Amino acid sequence: MTKCSDPVILNLWHPVGAIAEAAPGVIQETVLLEERLSFAVEANGEPVVWRSRPDDLRWADQVPSVDRLPARSAYGYVWTSLGSPPADLFPIPEYGEPDRRKLNAATFGVNVSAPRAIENFLDMGHFPYVHTDILGVEPHTEVKEYDVEISVDRDEILATRCRFFQPMASTASDGGADVDYVYRVPHPYCSVLYKSSPVDEARRDVIAIFLQPVDQEHVRAHMLLCVLDEDNEDKVIKRFQQTIFGQDKPILENQVPKRLPLDPRAETPIRADKSAIAYRRWLSQKGVTYGVIPAAA
């Protein structure tokens, strides 16, 4: 595979690792857009990212500024870019609320393109069949009418009025209930889900998927949890989300083709796919070519 030449994707911020899982000063190796990278989190919490070299034995503080890539910490992860990223990352204001549990549920390697993984994250229709007795159950299979907009001002997709019956929406749930969902796609390879909190009717739990494109058909999926739960241990909260993603992983890896077709005639959508249709249109409008099959001119 050739390395990424898509300027839209090259100029974005991308996650490369969870800060809580990076011991201070310890260098970690990873791959982003087919480029081998090294990164470390310094004792002061600041991340340093650079392109790896064969037999590179430098410590992070020995990497000269000219060799460093843009780097920042946000939402519990190290982010970097191979191009010229924007000054700011998309906002998740709930992350700043002190009473929330903020965890990396896990980082999963998945043999699929980043856009395919985002499309799966947006799909409610698979809940009763893939996440049976957790996020869905028969005969509650209908995806009710919901609203989707592509916001030019915010440069994101927003799906609202999403509602689905779930037997066990989270570790804090004590029974089945209709759960309200709001989906945001503020980045071609990242999506943020807001869902009803079982412990506070006025607030929502936040679950985000931040995808690190290793290449056009492989990703590392970083799962952020930003939830209201005072009772369960971290490992219990994480295990719940790991179970969900573990059920999705074989479905994702059996997608054909692995890259997402942007031609509206390539795959037949149904009414429940409004978010996916908007997402494909948004990628086309942006001119994204990496991880997708562009529509014919």
Side-chain angles (χ1 to χ4, degrees), residues 9 28 32 61 63 83-84 101 113 120-121 140-141 180 194 216 225 251 283 294:
I9 299 304
Q28 300 195 48
L32 174 66
D61 59 5
V63 179
S84 299
R101 306 283 288 280
S113 68
N120 177 79
F121 191 74
H140 304 277
T141 59
D180 290 313
Y194 302 82
Q216 296 210 60
L225 300 178
I251 305 299
L283 294 180

Side-chain angles (χ1 to χ4, degrees), residues 211-230:
L211 295 168
Q212 172 187 341
V214 174
D215 58 37
Q216 296 210 60
E217 296 183 357
H218 296 81
V219 298
R220 296 177 75 226
H222 306 282
M223 296 294 303
L224 168 67
L225 300 178
C226 183
V227 299
L228 300 165
D229 188 334
E230 297 180 352

